Every structure is written in structure tokens, then in C-alpha cells.
Amino acid sequence: MAAQMTDGHRRFLQVLMSHGIMEGSEARKLHRHCCEIHKVYYAHDKLDDFINTINVHLQPLFMQIRKGTSEDDGRVHYALVNLAETEITKMASDYTENELELFRKTMDLIILSENGFASSTEVLNFADQLKSKKMKKKEAEQVLKLFVEDKWLSERNGEYTLHTRCIMEMEQYILSNYQGVARKCNICHSLAIQSQVCETCGIGMHLPCVGKYFKAQTEPHCPHCNDFWPHEIPEVSRTDSQLSSKRGRGKQLHSQH
Amino acid sequence: MSQRKRSKGSGFSQGEEGDDDCTPSQMRVLSQGSRNLERHSREQVDQKVSELVQFLLVKDQKKIPIKRSDILKKVIGEYKDVYSEIVNRAGRTLQQVFGLQLVEIDTKHHIYILISTLPRAEGENLRQDDQTAKLGLLSVILSFIFMKGNSAKDGAVWEFLRRLRVHPGERHEVFGDVKKLVMEEFVRQKYLEISPIPLTDPVEFKFQWGPRAAKETSKREMLRFVAKIQGKDPAFWTSQFKEAEGSPGPL
């Protein structure tokens, strides 16, 4: 028998919803805050149980608070996702038809790319080819900006990739719609949008997974075909207990999964 | 065999008490409703409730007031005959799971918003971004309107904002096109109501609180806000204080 929803749980859910996605330490802080305000039983290591209670009540709505890992830094994040997925449901209520078409096109470019990024030039070139309603480049730029604000895309140096939240939300959709094209990480077996790929046998791995797997190995070899691993191995930082609450700088990664 | 013909969603974890005591007239209404329900399967109706909940949540996250016509067109569709059932269940779910209440702010055009029913908390870490800044600006405008007797001319509002270095003609670092934000976005979100004053040339506008503002905050809170900024007691402004104490809305 699941625990009851309290105002503490509801507040957590409201705040998480307004953020869209939250990093692990943020979520833990919020957990404590919500329990304190509403005088709900709090145990610092029971966040997952707390979330489970909410999830039991979200289940009939085909929604769930899910845990996922960022492809950028390997940090755990929490997001409220849709489970009933035949198309981009959550986005459908938010954007117009041609905006959704632009998004799908961007997603195509990202997934079909080598490195999981699509340049803004590539995307904007499709703006006036949209079947639903053409868009001027200026307008398309604004729409892309909106996607970034809403955390469906993230942008880096004029290139776009899928935001962690988007990957968490749409993993099933992407794996089924891009079967054979979308890659799964050889280590953790989740969808990998950004990845390092073995040039010999073609398997791919998330950058944080690469960092973890090849940690302290002087001669990294592909776990599948044993060929020399040609790419730069990302650094992995020390475990949680030694980390401050600030985000790691540059290439430092969490060694948690 | 239960006398109640009201079908419940499978796996719906709501505490639906009160169903046990039905008067005969309620029974007739329920059985009519349940005949409609039987036309659609339980799973299908559950699905519709869930779709409506998500639709409402998504719209409200963007502070877009939700029109009944949109609900009917985009979610209900051919389940129109069980519209009430779906909306009621969605409302109960929103309350029970999210602590949100579906409130009709325009009974003529049937427009809804979601309000949090959770008690206010200090240091709420809702997403700190442009939204927070906008709400700050909005609070300032709403409090100004209230202090001016619930209605203020656009000239007065812009003059007031000019003292805070916010100019309608200039692009603001945080707010961008401020005039658009205030006169279009805040109005569309139902925070402000701006109406032209008749017989003015060039046309002047009257600023008042919109229905969302009235539901999301209160005169009492606004007065407290002003008092805090000015370092005075709310009772300092006697007529506003009297009005604020007598007004409804969240404390």
C-alpha cells in the first residue's frame, strides 16, 4: 500500500514541473525543503522513496518522475516525463504545427549526425522547406531559442543537441522511430545522442561512460572488438562525497551512474 | 451487486468518498452519465482524463489561460457526451496529486487557469529565470494599481516605472520590449486588464488587475509588499488597509 500524497509531495511536484528537469543535488535540497515546510517525515537518503510515492499517484496519468543521466557531465537528473508515447505529446500542446515540424527536422539532423549535434545553419536551411507552413530564417532562429529555453534542445557554439530532459522524455519514442539509426551506449545500454564511436566495429558509448570505463587505463581498447580506442578519454572526478555543491569545471565528470 | 452504476477508473488512486450516499435524483443523473460512460470503455475515459490533465498542466506552465473550446477541440473530441465526467475527474486529480485547482476566471467565455492550493512558502525555489523578473515587475505594477484605488491611467503607470528605469520606448536589458510585455503578454495571461478610456484623444488606457492576478494574489499581499518596500506598517495607508482587510483571496 503506497504512502499518501502530502502537501510536501505536491510542492515537490509543482516545483519540479516548473523547472522541467532538476539536477540531483537540487532535487535533494528541494526534498528537504518540502518536508520541512509541511512537517513531513524526512530522511536524507529516502528521496527515491519519496519520489516513488508521487510516482504511484502519477501512474494512472501515464506520467512519471524519472531519473536520467546527463550526457554532458554524467550527473543524475530528475524530470517529469510522459509515458504514453506515440508522438511528441508534451510538446504538441505547446507549439504550432510548423514549430513541431522544425523540431522533428532538428531531431532528425541531430540523431543522424556523427557527433549528436546539428549546426544552426543546417537547421535554418530547412526553415523554408517546411511542409506545414514555411518559416523565415529569423523566425526559425526564435523558435530554436524557445526550444532551448524550454529545455528540449541545448545549444553550444551555434550547434544544437537534445537536452537531457528531452532525451529522458523521448527515449522510447526515439529508439522506436529511429530504429537502426539511434545508437545505444555499449556500457549502460541507454540511448546515446552524443557518443564516442569505435571506428572499427561501430559501437558507441556516452562520454561519461567512456570516462568511467577507461578510468586510469593507459591504453584504452574497445570493449567490443578490442581495437585501440582512438578518442580522447574524458576525465572523471572523484565520488560524490568529495564534491562540493558547485558544478564541476570543464571536463570534470561525476563518477556516478 | 452495488446499486451505484458510476464506473470508476481502474487503478485510479483517488480517495473518492461521498459516492456512497446518493439520493434518488443523483442516481438518475449518475445512471444517465454512466450510460454515456458505457459507450466508451473505462480505459478510453481514463486515457482522456490523463490527456486533459497533461494538457492543462502544459498550458498553465506557460500561463496561457485555457479556453473550454480548446479543451473540447483538442482533448475531448468525440467524448463530448462525458465531458463533465472527464473535467471533474481531471480537476480532482489535479488537486489530489498536484495541489492545483482548476478555476474559471471568465464564466461567460469559459476560460480556466490553474491555481496552487498549497500554502505560500518563503524562499520558494521555483525556477529562477526571466519569469521571476517578470513577476517582480508585475507585482510592482499590480501594487501601484491597487494603491491608486484599483485603477490607474497608463500615463501614471509608465511615469512610475520610469523612476525604476523601465521605459516603454527603450529595450530593457531583462524585459526586452517592455511595452509589449505589459500591454500584451500580461494582458494575455490575464494578469492585467487594460481598456481604452472613452473620449480620450490621443487614446489613454486604464490599467486594472486581471482575473488571474485576483486569484493568484490578494490586496492584502500587495499592501504587505508595498509596506515592506517602504519600510512602513500596512496600516499606514488607512483606506487601502481597510479595503485589503475586507477583500477575499489568499492570505
Side-chain angles (χ1 to χ4, degrees):
Chain A
M1 169 80 193
Q4 284 282 66
M5 285 286 283
T6 65
D7 277 351
H9 295 92
R10 293 180 189 108
R11 187 178 293 278
F12 185 90
L13 188 50
Q14 279 190 24
V15 177
L16 177 61
M17 218 167 38
S18 79
H19 283 255
I21 182 169
M22 270 186 137
E23 198 256 316
S25 60
E26 264 187 286
R28 281 189 286 277
K29 259 189 248 156
L30 180 60
H31 173 214
R32 192 174 69 216
H33 174 77
C34 292
C35 290
E36 274 170 14
I37 295 184
H38 296 283
K39 315 224 186 327
V40 173
Y41 168 71
Y42 172 71
H44 75 100
D45 57 345
K46 292 275 191 255
L47 174 58
D48 284 353
D49 284 350
F50 186 80
I51 287 177
N52 272 336
T53 302
I54 301 174
N55 277 340
V56 167
H57 291 80
L58 286 176
Q59 206 211 357
L61 301 168
F62 309 102
M63 293 167 84
Q64 189 187 61
I65 297 177
R66 198 179 270 176
K67 222 156 117 168
T69 314
S70 161
E71 289 191 340
D72 297 315
D73 58 15
R75 280 190 149 98
V76 168
H77 287 71
Y78 293 87
L80 183 62
V81 305
N82 246 315
L83 298 177
E85 202 71 62
T86 49
E87 49 181 274
I88 317 177
T89 332
K90 192 179 253 171
M91 293 184 79
S93 331
D94 243 352
Y95 302 100
T96 62
E97 217 190 308
N98 67 342
E99 286 168 351
L100 288 173
E101 200 190 332
L102 186 70
F103 183 79
R104 272 187 228 109
K105 194 69 225 170
T106 309
M107 193 190 268
D108 279 353
L109 291 169
I110 289 171
I111 294 174
L112 295 167
S113 74
E114 278 292 311
N115 63 348
F117 281 88
S119 74
S120 73
T121 323
E122 279 179 284
V123 179
L124 294 176
N125 279 338
F126 278 102
D128 64 350
Q129 288 174 41
L130 295 175
K131 290 196 200 90
S132 43
K133 187 175 156 205
K134 300 192 217 292
M135 242 189 243
K136 295 216 168 65
K137 288 216 163 79
K138 263 273 179 236
E139 193 192 336
E141 259 174 17
Q142 286 299 96
V143 175
L144 284 174
K145 202 163 164 239
L146 201 55
F147 289 145
V148 172
E149 258 173 48
D150 290 347
K151 300 184 181 171
W152 296 110
L153 295 178
S154 54
E155 187 256 337
R156 199 169 73 192
N157 303 325
E159 293 197 315
Y160 294 93
T161 187
L162 300 182
H163 196 283
T164 307
R165 183 244 190 140
C166 181
I167 298 174
M168 285 174 70
E169 177 91 35
M170 300 197 202
E171 182 168 359
Q172 291 315 309
Y173 168 77
I174 293 173
L175 287 172
S176 55
N177 274 55
Y178 292 90
Q179 237 176 51
V181 181
R183 210 171 267 123
K184 272 198 189 177
C185 174
N186 196 255
I187 305 291
C188 69
H189 307 292
S190 315
L191 174 63
I193 299 293
Q194 294 176 55
S195 56
Q196 287 188 357
V197 178
C198 174
E199 276 153 30
T200 313
C201 67
I203 60 129
M205 302 202 279
H206 288 121
L207 276 73
C209 293
V210 168
K212 215 170 90 162
Y213 186 77
F214 290 129
K215 191 169 159 190
Q217 277 186 44
T218 45
E219 283 186 31
H221 290 273
C222 172
H224 192 248
C225 70
N226 216 38
D227 223 19
F228 182 67
W229 193 261
H231 309 284
E232 187 183 344
I233 311 296
E235 267 177 45
V236 178
S237 65
R238 298 235 170 263
T239 57
D240 248 308
S241 52
Q242 288 177 285
L243 271 168
S244 66
S245 56
K246 292 216 177 81
R247 283 184 186 276
R249 277 167 280 127
K251 281 205 175 157
Q252 288 197 318
L253 297 167
H254 253 287
S255 60
Q256 58 163 303
H257 227 285
Chain B
M1 170 74 191
S2 163
Q3 274 192 309
R4 290 178 284 114
K5 284 176 129 212
R6 182 113 174 244
S7 43
K8 287 194 180 185
S10 54
F12 230 106
S13 49
Q14 292 177 353
E16 279 182 63
E17 320 88 346
D19 274 331
D20 297 271
D21 305 299
C22 283
T23 65
S25 55
Q26 282 177 319
M27 285 286 293
R28 274 194 290 277
V29 171
L30 284 176
S31 56
Q32 172 61 55
S34 68
R35 267 199 285 280
N36 284 332
L37 276 175
E38 279 155 30
R39 223 178 282 148
H40 311 282
S41 79
R42 192 167 298 174
E43 288 78 29
Q44 288 173 319
V45 179
D46 284 353
Q47 174 74 29
K48 280 297 162 191
V49 173
S50 141
E51 277 174 33
L52 180 57
V53 168
Q54 288 187 34
F55 180 78
L56 293 170
L57 288 173
V58 169
K59 284 277 182 240
D60 196 71
Q61 282 296 300
K62 298 234 152 162
K63 298 257 201 272
I64 302 173
I66 309 138
K67 295 191 213 135
R68 184 196 278 184
S69 52
D70 277 345
I71 295 177
L72 283 166
K73 190 165 67 169
K74 302 209 173 144
V75 183
I76 306 289
E78 57 188 32
Y79 290 74
K80 247 201 299 243
D81 49 342
V82 288
Y83 170 79
S84 301
E85 169 77 12
I86 296 174
V87 171
N88 289 339
R89 277 172 61 179
R92 279 201 297 273
T93 304
L94 284 166
Q95 177 61 66
Q96 229 257 342
V97 181
F98 294 86
L100 295 170
Q101 194 185 5
L102 186 61
V103 175
E104 194 170 18
I105 54 167
D106 185 334
T107 46
K108 187 163 145 209
H109 302 107
H110 301 296
I111 302 178
Y112 302 88
I113 57 171
L114 294 181
I115 306 281
S116 173
T117 56
L118 299 180
R120 301 268 156 168
E122 280 298 318
E124 184 90 294
N125 57 342
L126 283 171
R127 187 164 160 185
Q128 298 278 346
D129 56 10
D130 288 346
Q131 283 306 314
T132 323
K134 281 181 189 169
L135 287 180
L137 177 66
L138 178 67
S139 297
V140 160
I141 297 174
L142 290 174
S143 60
F144 180 75
I145 294 171
F146 169 56
M147 297 308 273
K148 282 274 176 231
N150 299 313
S151 172
K153 276 207 200 138
D154 61 335
V157 175
W158 292 118
E159 172 63 38
F160 172 70
L161 288 177
R162 197 147 54 83
R163 283 184 251 150
L164 302 171
R165 308 241 187 92
V166 175
H167 304 267
E170 289 169 19
R171 189 164 183 83
H172 191 270
E173 186 181 19
V174 176
F175 305 122
D177 186 341
V178 187
K179 192 157 186 204
K180 193 160 177 232
L181 172 62
V182 173
M183 301 199 62
E184 287 178 27
E185 194 172 322
F186 286 160
V187 172
R188 190 176 51 230
Q189 295 173 341
K190 305 287 179 186
Y191 279 118
L192 290 178
E193 229 163 58
I194 299 183
S195 39
I197 301 173
L199 305 175
T200 52
D201 182 28
V203 64
E204 284 173 51
F205 294 94
K206 180 170 71 166
F207 278 47
Q208 289 170 302
W209 282 29
R212 190 192 286 271
K215 292 281 183 209
E216 282 190 12
T217 184
S218 66
K219 292 174 180 176
R220 215 170 307 174
E221 263 188 37
M222 278 295 125
L223 185 58
R224 243 185 256 153
F225 173 69
V226 172
K228 197 169 171 185
I229 294 178
Q230 299 212 22
K232 295 196 170 82
D233 192 272
F236 176 76
W237 296 271
T238 34
S239 64
Q240 284 90 346
F241 184 72
K242 235 189 270 179
E243 191 187 340
E245 289 302 304
S247 72
L251 286 161

